Amino acid sequence: MGRLDGRVAMVTGASRGIGEATARRFAREGARVCLTDVNLEGALSTTRQLVDEGMDAFATRVDVTSRTEVENAVGEIIDRYGRLDILINNAGVTRDSLIYKMTDEDWRTVMNVHLTGAFFCSRAAQRHMVERNYGRIVNVSSTSALGNRGQTNYSAAKAGIQGLTKTLAVELGRYGVTANAVAPGFIETEMTRDTAARLGVDFDDFVAERVKSIPVGRAGWPEDVAAAILYFASEEAAFVSGQVLYVAGGPRD
Ligand SMILES: NC(=O)c1ccc[n+]([C@@H]2O[C@H](COP(=O)([O-])OP(=O)(O)OC[C@H]3O[C@@H](n4cnc5c(N)ncnc54)[C@H](O)[C@@H]3O)[C@@H](O)[C@H]2O)c1
């Protein structure tokens, strides 16, 4: 028996990294999963593998900054499965630079994808969750919410996500809907590979340097984050809402 048997989940940014690992774990736990991403090809290739393995999943293109695309995708899930129980707001981008070099565009892009995207998806999903008196919203924040050099945009968006999460918890609790956030530290994904490339550092060297400050002595993997997301998304987390769980191999990295 899976921990998400009978549930229907939507994961944003599911074509790779943490979103992909979460979609895979959810499907293995018995959920029917809608993998969404602005990169449809990536989401489709994971979906095909899941379907080939006998799981129930489908992919649809969603740019989370588009209210229309978000609402259409939620509509598609409802048409297909008649319900939406779990929303994972995971889609993300970085546009790092020190404040004196940060452009308006870098600021807006990051705020739009992380914060406005999570707002659009949460608003669209909660309508159906409230109707059924059941829902789990899990938002992906970051240790950067605590402050990180070169990330005024990203840290503000990730801190904003924590505020959004707590307010969703306050407003939706009475309708059986919980909202929580996971805040990953350093996780080996394309996002951190891109950061290393931008800095002109070999990825293995980059990881080795970061690991020096991680108490458990290794970098995080997407599956580490997916496991924490799964807990918040499960039945057993019914009395846990408005929380932020740091998944960083220590208090922060
Ligand atoms: N990797 C880390 O160290 C780390 C640490 C803390 C938090 N996070 C957060 O975890 C989440 C996943 O990150 P990841 O490391 O797997 O990154 P990733 O770059 O591997 O994956 C991000 C996914 O989001 C998708 N995406 C980007 N813009 C989108 C949009 N407008 N609409 C829909 N999808 C979009 C991308 O296509 C990609 O598939 C992000 O929110 C990120 O900020 C990552």
Side-chain angles (χ1 to χ4, degrees):
M1 210 179 107
R3 286 165 73 185
L4 300 180
D5 276 345
R7 296 295 177 196
V8 172
M10 168 174 167
V11 182
T12 71
S15 81
R16 64 188 204 186
I18 293 167
E20 178 186 348
T22 301
R24 286 183 183 280
R25 182 72 199 268
F26 278 20
R28 284 212 315 274
E29 295 290 346
R32 290 165 282 173
V33 187
C34 173
L35 292 89
T36 72
D37 205 291
V38 71
N39 166 14
L40 181 59
E41 268 317 301
L44 276 172
S45 103
T46 306
T47 302
R48 277 187 216 109
Q49 291 171 29
L50 293 175
V51 171
D52 286 350
E53 289 165 28
M55 296 163 200
D56 192 344
F58 79 102
T60 191
R61 182 188 185 277
V62 176
D63 177 340
V64 293
T65 66
S66 161
R67 178 170 48 77
T68 310
E69 288 187 26
V70 166
E71 290 182 354
N72 287 348
V74 170
E76 218 180 319
I77 294 168
I78 300 298
D79 288 347
R80 194 176 177 114
Y81 298 126
R83 59 199 288 172
L84 175 56
D85 304 297
I86 302 166
L87 167 68
I88 310 303
N89 284 311
N90 164 78
V93 292
T94 52
R95 294 287 184 276
D96 298 353
S97 67
L98 295 174
I99 181 76
Y100 76 96
K101 285 189 291 192
M102 185 162 294
T103 64
D104 295 0
E105 188 57 25
D106 289 342
W107 175 267
R108 278 198 211 103
T109 299
V110 169
M111 295 308 260
N112 281 343
V113 175
H114 293 271
L115 208 42
T116 309
F119 162 65
F120 282 159
C121 292
S122 300
R123 187 178 58 183
Q126 61 81 34
R127 290 186 189 121
H128 303 281
M129 293 173 172
V130 166
E131 252 173 35
R132 299 180 58 89
N133 213 41
Y134 185 92
R136 298 277 185 270
I137 298 174
V138 187
N139 298 323
V140 180
S141 177
S142 167
T143 49
S144 295
L146 303 169
N148 198 26
R149 189 177 166 78
Q151 292 196 317
T152 45
N153 51 2
Y154 185 82
S155 63
K158 291 305 200 186
I161 279 180
Q162 296 191 11
L164 171 72
T165 302
K166 288 168 195 286
T167 302
L168 289 172
V170 169
E171 291 188 13
L172 301 177
R174 75 188 62 182
Y175 305 108
V177 180
T178 65
N180 291 285
V182 297
F186 182 79
I187 312 297
E188 291 184 26
T189 66
E190 290 307 313
M191 182 177 276
T192 43
R193 282 182 186 279
D194 288 350
T195 304
R198 189 173 43 75
L199 297 171
V201 182
D202 173 74
F203 188 62
D204 291 340
D205 296 342
F206 188 58
V207 172
E209 192 53 39
R210 294 294 299 263
V211 164
K212 287 181 189 164
S213 61
I214 301 176
V216 303
R218 68 162 172 87
W221 302 314
E223 292 73 18
D224 293 317
V225 185
I229 293 174
L230 172 64
Y231 168 65
F232 283 137
S234 69
E235 306 275 349
E236 61 200 325
F239 201 58
V240 180
S241 198
Q243 300 304 303
V244 180
L245 178 60
Y246 284 85
V247 182
R252 67 165 300 178
D253 173 67

